[in-house]
Structure formats: C-alpha cells, structure tokens
C-alpha cells in the first residue's frame, strides 16, 4: 500500500504516482485516465470541456480514485505555464505526462487548406506539446522516475495524399519528442511515442465517416501498453511504440 497525494492509501502499479493527461475528456485520453486511476495514480485531467471532465471524474471516483480537473485549451501557452507552477506548488513533481490531445484538421489537397486551420493543427499537435515539455520537464526531473508519453500516428511515417496538415504535425512531433528523449537520456526521465493505430474515436470518424467503428479494437485495449510506458520500471527511451506491438516489446 502507498499513501497517495490526496492522503489516502492506494494500491496498484501506479500507486502514489501523479499522472497528467491532455485531451482527457474522451477517447484515448479518457481510457488512459481510467487505466491509470485504476492502478492507483492521481490523475490531473486536462481538456477544454468541463462537462466531459466532470463525467470522467465521476467514473474515476466510482473506481475509488481521485483526480484533479483542469479545464484548459492546450493552445493556451501561458495557461500551461500556470499549470506547471500550480503542480509544482501542490505536488512538487510530476511522474507521468501523457500528451494525447490532438486534432485532425481537414483532409484536403495541400493547397486548399485554410491557413488558420493549418496553424491550428500545428498549434494543438506540435506547439502545445512543446509548451508542455517546457513547463513540465522540471517536474518530471523531480520525480524518481519521470515518464513522458506522446501519442503519434502511423501517418507520420508514410506519405498519404490529402493528410498533409495532420501528417506533418505528427512527423514534427515525432522528431521533437525524439530530441527530448535524447536530451533526457542521462536523467531519470524516459520519453517515448505511442501510436495506437485505428481507434473508435470522433477523430477517426471525421477521417473515415463510412467506417463501422464496431470493427475496431476498443479503447481499453490500449490500457496495458500505456500503463507499462508509465511505470518506473520502463527503461525504454526515444522509442516509437505501435499499439498492436506494445505488449510484446514493453
């Protein structure tokens, strides 16, 4: 048994750990939050929608867990900085960062994409994660085993027509996270990328509106892989982990 940050005793592989998850109100973020809370972590849930956060909080409480709700748009850079300061004041460290928030943008010929939309995709998928690293890296270093995980996509590594904005943003994320991992190699922080593959989410529905999402692996299938990447025992660093291979390599 471990004493959690809320003063309660907690059990599980992440007992007493503090995990921050962006894009937490739905989809993979919500599934990860439930998985981490189920293993005893205190989850800091970041998303724009208050209602979604409150609904997830109810589910976490039903598991006997506790969460801190942070209604925040990840493109609010100063807001991310304030979050880092607040976490430092309250906890003094961060054990797990899951950079999950992302947007698809538009599937369109590259020359037809509106500048404002292209910039939004980059702001959410790339710049926001840089701001998270900038603000939270000192807290991860203050942990005995800081773990940073960023959600990527297979389209970052292959050329697919009409996916320019999203693919470019994920390719940029991959490189940025790889550099962060290299810079963290001689610390206790470990940094990796996680590609979940096809998932039954709203974003997937935007990209493939005619697809039967019931045929896709459930979101819960990613729980174990994301837990293992968050564990202090995880020694991998700078790796690109595919969801369907996660359990065989972790």
């Amino acid at each position: 048994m471990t004493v959690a940050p809320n003063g309660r005793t907690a059990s599980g592989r992440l007992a007493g750990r503090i995990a921050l998850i962006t894009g937490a109100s739905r989809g993979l973020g919500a599934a990860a939050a439930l998985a981490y809370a189920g293993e005893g972590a205190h989850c800091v849930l970041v998303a724009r929608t208050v209602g979604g956060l409150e609904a997830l909080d109810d589910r976490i409480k039903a598991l006997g867990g506790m969460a801190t709700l942070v209604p925040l748009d990840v493109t609010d850079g100063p807001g991310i900085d304030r979050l880092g300061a607040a976490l430092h004041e309250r906890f003094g460290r961060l054990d797990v960062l899951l950079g999950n928030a992302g947007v698809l943008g538009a599937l369109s010929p590259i020359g037809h994409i509106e500048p404002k939309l292209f910039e939004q995709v980059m702001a959410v998928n790339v710049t926001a994660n840089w701001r998270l690293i900038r603000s939270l890296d000192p807290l991860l270093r203050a942990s005995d085993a800081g773990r940073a995980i960023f959600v990527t996509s297979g389209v970052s590594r292959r050329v697919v027509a009409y996916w320019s904005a999203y693919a470019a943003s994920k390719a940029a994320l991959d490189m940025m996270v790889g550099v962060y991992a290299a810079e963290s190699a001689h610390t206790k922080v470990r940094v990796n990328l996680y590609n979940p593959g096809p998932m039954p989410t709203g974003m997937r529905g935007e990209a493939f509106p005619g697809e039967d999402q019931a045929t896709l692996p459930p979101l819960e299938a990613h729980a174990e892989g994301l837990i293992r990447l968050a564990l202090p025992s995880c020694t991998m660093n700078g790796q690109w982990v595919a969801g369907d291979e996660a359990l065989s390599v972790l």
Side-chain angles (χ1 to χ4, degrees):
M1 302 291 283
T2 301
V3 178
N6 57 32
R8 297 183 179 183
T9 56
S11 60
R13 288 175 289 173
L14 295 173
R17 312 300 283 176
I18 303 157
L20 186 148
I21 302 147
T22 66
S25 62
R26 59 183 180 176
L28 184 65
L34 290 167
Y36 288 168
E39 289 290 341
H42 181 100
C43 293
V44 180
L45 308 176
V46 179
R48 291 178 298 171
T49 54
V50 175
L53 288 174
E54 290 176 343
L56 178 58
D57 187 39
D58 289 341
R59 296 175 68 188
I60 287 175
K61 287 177 179 175
L63 294 173
M66 292 286 289
T68 297
L69 309 186
V70 183
L72 177 68
D73 188 323
V74 293
T75 63
D76 178 0
I80 289 176
D81 291 343
R82 291 191 296 271
L83 173 59
L87 292 173
H88 174 73
E89 181 177 351
R90 181 173 178 185
F91 301 116
R93 73 180 201 277
L94 180 66
D95 301 305
V96 182
L97 165 61
L98 177 58
N100 165 73
V103 294
L104 177 66
L107 301 185
S108 170
I110 191 168
H112 295 183
I113 299 174
E114 292 293 329
K116 184 176 181 180
L117 181 59
F118 191 92
E119 291 165 3
Q120 180 196 26
V121 173
M122 289 297 187
V124 174
N125 296 356
V126 186
T127 306
N129 285 303
W130 165 69
R131 291 299 292 247
L132 286 165
I133 292 169
R134 180 178 180 273
S135 180
L136 302 180
D137 176 64
L139 295 174
L140 289 167
R141 289 175 183 247
S143 170
D144 61 345
R147 299 292 178 260
I149 308 154
F150 296 88
V151 177
T152 186
S153 168
V155 79
S156 71
R157 300 196 166 195
R158 65 180 188 273
V159 176
V160 182
Y162 310 118
W163 284 72
S164 59
Y166 185 75
S169 72
K170 290 299 185 179
L173 176 69
D174 285 6
M175 180 56 71
M176 181 176 70
V177 171
V179 171
Y180 179 36
E183 294 173 353
S184 303
H186 299 295
T187 75
K188 295 178 181 178
V189 178
R190 293 294 173 262
V191 183
N192 293 289
L193 289 151
Y194 183 77
N195 169 33
M199 299 183 292
T201 63
M203 184 187 295
R204 178 79 182 184
E206 291 178 47
F208 301 96
E211 183 177 54
D212 180 6
Q213 293 200 348
T215 64
L216 302 177
L219 293 168
E220 293 74 19
H222 300 284
E224 184 61 24
L226 290 171
I227 289 168
R228 292 189 188 184
L229 284 169
L231 291 173
S233 59
C234 178
T235 59
M236 292 177 57
N237 189 51
Q239 298 301 306
W240 197 92
V241 180
D244 57 358
E245 300 172 347
L247 299 187
S248 64
V249 300
L250 291 171

